[in-house]
Amino acid sequence: MSHVFQDAVVTKYTIFNSLFLSLPYPGIFQTGSLLPLLTQQSEEGFQQGKSPRQIIEGFFSELLEDATPKERVDLLFAFIQYIERQVVLFDSVEDAAFDQTHDLSGKGSVPFLIERLDTPELRQKMLDKLQDFCVRIVLTAHPTQFYPGKVLGIIHDLEDAIRVNDFSEVNRLLLQLGKTGFTNENKPTPYDEAVSLCWFLENVYYEAIPSILLKLIDTLNMSVHEWPYPQIFRLGFWPGGDRDGNPFVSAETTLQVADRLRETLLRAYYRDIRNLKRRLTFRGVEDTIAQAERKMNSTIFGPEEEGYSSAGELIGELLGAREVLVDKHQGLFVEMLDEFILKLRLFGFFFASLDVRQDSRKHTKAWKDILTRLERKIPLLKYSDYTSWDEDKKIDLLLSLNIPLRDEDYEDPQTKDILGSIRSICTIQKRNGEDGAHRYVISNSQSALNIMEVLAIAKNLIADEEGLLPLDIVPLFETVDDLANAGGVMKKLYENTYYRNHLNYRGNHQTIMVGFSDGTKDGGYLRANWSIYRAKEELTRISREYGIKVTFFDGRGGPPGRGGGNNHNFYASLGKDIEDKEIQLTVQGQTISSNYGTVSTAMFNLERLFTAGLENHLFSPSRQEEQLTEEDKALLEELAEAAYHSYLDLKNHPVFVKYLEKKTPLRFYGQTNIGSRPTKRGNDGEGLKFEDLRAIPFVGSWAQMKQNVPGFYGFGSAIDQLTKEGKGEAIKKLYQKSLFFRTLVENSMQSLSKAFFPATEYLRQEEDYLAFWDKMYDEFVCTNQQLLKISGQKELLDSNQVTKESIKIRERIVLPLITIQQYALQMLADDPATLPVDPEKYSKLVVRAMFGIINAARNSA
């Protein structure tokens, strides 16, 4: 362990953790004193092969033999509450030490990049690249954030107090944590989710993004006033727009969220204007700033006609004031004014662009409604005939229709919402500017028809008099088969005259989204990652062939099993055959709070994404050794295919779905009240089917079981199989040579490091699950061994000591939590009539334990 991490994090955590024992809460001293003993008994018990039930019952019989069943369960709940707050404390200590444990000016930072631009040609090459380069971070509402907003606020303040060693304030905040609930009594609405994420926009991104730009401009010795590339960072937003599988998102919600984004931003602008007013007190300038204050107040609170209609209007007024400031007042405080104008150019009046997303099958269903209604007016057009046509004929019909589409003409609420959601995009654009909402994402895209169905609806709803649509349609390809077919789908679109004309109007720019979550669920870790890489290569080739600028939008989750892990290494590793004009990715839940929860962490991670996106373009000649050759790609294809078959063998095991449904916390996800979206698709009255599983509860359940199957399964057996075929040395060379492959390996190592199979070894005692558990464990051992062998590391994550040590400490903090949760699951497997307390108590233990386990892992759901 590095001395810095030991001193700045571990020692500090130990000191502040001792404060818990002195908090004036009933029973806390006993809880805090007994908890280390439970941790010790859990460690020793699992080493001896004991089950969680044996460990918990042994703990009580040894230390609290006379405790009643109710007192025992109450103490377990007290342990859970205590550990939840220990996790918060460790998060805060680690984040407070971030600038000590991470080299903020090292590899991946803006200064490090600029230092390497050691010729005028390289510098110009980067500036040319910035003309159409962008990093777009899209915040999503996927339910992986187990801290409610009120706790996030305490964490923010706690981190500040820890940074300056303010023991008194830390103690008060720990007191506040003790009285603040960590759970939501009710599910949040989509609007609640949006409000929660607006906190990060206002308190983190609003400061972090301009700070990075100012650092870049300063390092390049350029002028903020003359900086021509404000678009290199953009924010996207899904809460309130993403209705895929979320029946609670409506067109009204979408409009409310767009208004909230605008209001949040304008209030931040208003504060900045008031700060400017305190400094720009000079003749010829102060009147303009005072007018800006009045008009911004009207823009926010009304009357709106007395406010600003756009950011451009405000910028124009401020530029006039700037001229006076420079000409008459020696440019005093001009840097403050320039920074504010930079924010206006960055965020406009929209803050974050609100995407709309819906499943392709919903659009097909809507067209059934539309065409069936049309059939009543035009009997010759029969929907039954339409369903038998080939794809080209269907597309021709949909594009030829010029029909009014009114909500009141349809009974199906889904059809009404699709029409309303597209209209809401138009409304938002009029109010917030076109950047406020201009993308419609189609999940489960399987054909060109899926894209044309949306285009044809939009054509009849929001096209202008010339038939032009201010809308980018974004297909999302995610499953293994859909990724393989993506090239053919886009080729057909590019060859369609109407679609090509639409793209021409949109600057010959096509955004394509590729998703990791369902790809991993469908085909396993290695197959999903490699399928996405190959799909991007093919889509790049086809797009270039047709003269289209393609942008890839990555649906990445927190853990490696959902495309998470080290994102900047992933982007830096992409070769010349994958378009790199922009970096776009989703961030969500814990990834937002852990990677972008403070200005420092946000700047660190955003800078590394920014520089990763420039690496291949600027320095590719010196990195030819890292480019994948055809032989390398063939080897990766063999590995991916072998891993895929290994994963399919597990997925097709007769107890796979039964295991998830009966033995994991999957069935409890709906009780956590962390997200507005239902936890599974399909009819609740039916038995669970694999296709109904949502990616987040799917991956999260494996994380709760400390098995993390989606993040590694098949990787080890694939390497082992190819090694036996004489390709072991080639795989080792690939690891040394390819950053892409190293990133896959080291992200998978994170999943392995957070796994702990002894916690569930008791399942081997059940005949139904013995073989299944052994199968998972054997692959875990195999993958562990094979990844160490090809990487040359002695222990997992030796190449990243800070991450390695952080994981070790976090896993030890939550070990009692894991024991308690598995104990409760064991008890629930018994006959309810024989249980010492109400079964509902054990269910609540399972749910409450979920929060701390997920929060400690930071990227496990």
Side-chain angles (χ1 to χ4, degrees), residues 103-114 116 212 215 568-569 572 603-615:
D103 186 356
L104 302 187
S105 298
K107 185 178 179 182
S109 68
V110 163
F112 186 84
L113 174 74
I114 304 304
R116 296 165 68 198
I212 295 170
K215 186 193 296 189
H568 48 84
N569 274 355
M603 287 182 66
F604 180 87
N605 287 294
L606 285 170
E607 280 186 53
R608 275 141 191 81
L609 283 175
F610 170 72
T611 59
L614 300 174
E615 280 286 329

Side-chain angles (χ1 to χ4, degrees), residues 276-290 321-322 324-326 328-334 336-337:
L276 281 171
K277 187 181 178 185
R278 294 172 63 188
R279 294 290 172 265
L280 302 182
T281 54
F282 319 126
R283 182 176 297 174
V285 178
E286 64 175 337
D287 288 348
T288 302
I289 303 303
R322 188 186 191 280
V324 177
L325 192 61
V326 172
K328 306 290 186 183
H329 305 289
Q330 296 77 49
L332 191 58
F333 298 119
V334 73
M336 281 182 68
L337 185 59

Side-chain angles (χ1 to χ4, degrees), residues 26-284:
I28 195 165
F29 184 80
Q30 182 191 38
T31 303
S33 301
L34 289 173
L35 183 56
L37 299 175
L38 178 58
T39 301
Q40 183 182 350
Q41 292 204 9
S42 295
E43 288 174 333
E44 293 173 356
F46 286 130
Q47 285 174 4
Q48 296 162 11
K50 291 182 179 179
S51 72
R53 183 170 181 171
Q54 289 172 322
I55 292 169
I56 294 293
E57 290 178 348
F59 169 80
F60 281 118
S61 63
E62 183 178 330
L63 297 169
L64 296 163
E65 187 177 2
D66 295 332
T68 66
K70 180 184 181 302
E71 289 170 338
R72 295 183 179 202
V73 170
D74 286 346
L75 181 60
L76 294 180
F77 276 114
F79 284 151
I80 291 172
Q81 291 175 313
Y82 197 99
I83 295 167
E84 282 176 336
R85 285 149 182 80
Q86 285 184 309
V87 171
V88 167
L89 179 62
F90 189 79
D91 282 349
S92 301
V93 171
E94 194 170 32
D95 288 345
F98 191 83
D99 58 348
Q100 297 171 259
T101 56
H102 294 76
D103 186 356
L104 302 187
S105 298
K107 185 178 179 182
S109 68
V110 163
F112 186 84
L113 174 74
I114 304 304
E115 271 183 30
R116 296 165 68 198
L117 304 179
D118 50 10
T119 67
E121 291 77 18
L122 259 182
R123 177 189 166 104
Q124 190 57 48
K125 190 176 182 181
M126 188 191 80
L127 292 176
D128 291 343
K129 174 75 171 175
L130 293 184
Q131 290 179 14
D132 62 355
F133 178 73
C134 175
V135 173
R136 185 191 290 234
I137 297 291
V138 180
L139 281 67
T140 80
H142 291 339
T144 61
Q145 176 53 269
F146 278 69
Y147 290 137
K150 57 193 175 186
V151 175
L152 286 172
I154 300 171
I155 292 173
H156 182 269
D157 296 339
L158 185 60
E159 180 197 328
D160 289 342
I162 288 169
R163 188 178 290 110
V164 296
N165 295 319
D166 186 342
F167 278 80
S168 175
E169 183 65 8
V170 169
N171 197 56
R172 289 201 303 168
L173 290 168
L174 291 178
L175 272 168
Q176 186 183 358
L177 272 179
K179 286 184 171 291
T180 302
F182 274 45
T183 59
N184 296 317
E185 290 186 16
N186 302 301
K187 276 182 175 290
T189 66
Y191 183 73
D192 293 335
E193 291 170 329
V195 170
S196 180
L197 288 184
C198 280
W199 186 92
F200 292 98
L201 291 180
E202 182 178 7
N203 293 283
V204 179
Y205 289 95
Y206 184 74
E207 299 299 333
I209 291 177
S211 296
I212 295 170
L213 272 183
L214 291 169
K215 186 193 296 189
L216 176 63
I217 294 166
D218 183 59
T219 311
L220 288 167
N221 296 314
M222 295 178 71
S223 160
V224 177
H225 175 58
E226 296 173 349
W227 180 250
Y229 317 115
Q231 84 296 334
I232 57 177
F233 287 99
R234 280 286 181 261
L235 294 170
F237 208 72
W238 273 18
D242 180 12
R243 58 247 301 133
D244 178 13
N246 193 337
F248 307 113
V249 177
S250 66
E252 182 183 358
T253 307
T254 303
L255 293 172
Q256 286 176 336
V257 169
D259 280 346
R260 180 62 183 234
L261 288 168
R262 174 187 164 95
E263 180 188 328
T264 301
L265 177 63
L266 295 184
R267 286 174 183 270
Y269 285 163
Y270 185 69
R271 288 193 294 271
D272 280 356
I273 291 171
R274 288 178 66 88
N275 287 333
L276 281 171
K277 187 181 178 185
R278 294 172 63 188
R279 294 290 172 265
L280 302 182
T281 54
F282 319 126
R283 182 176 297 174

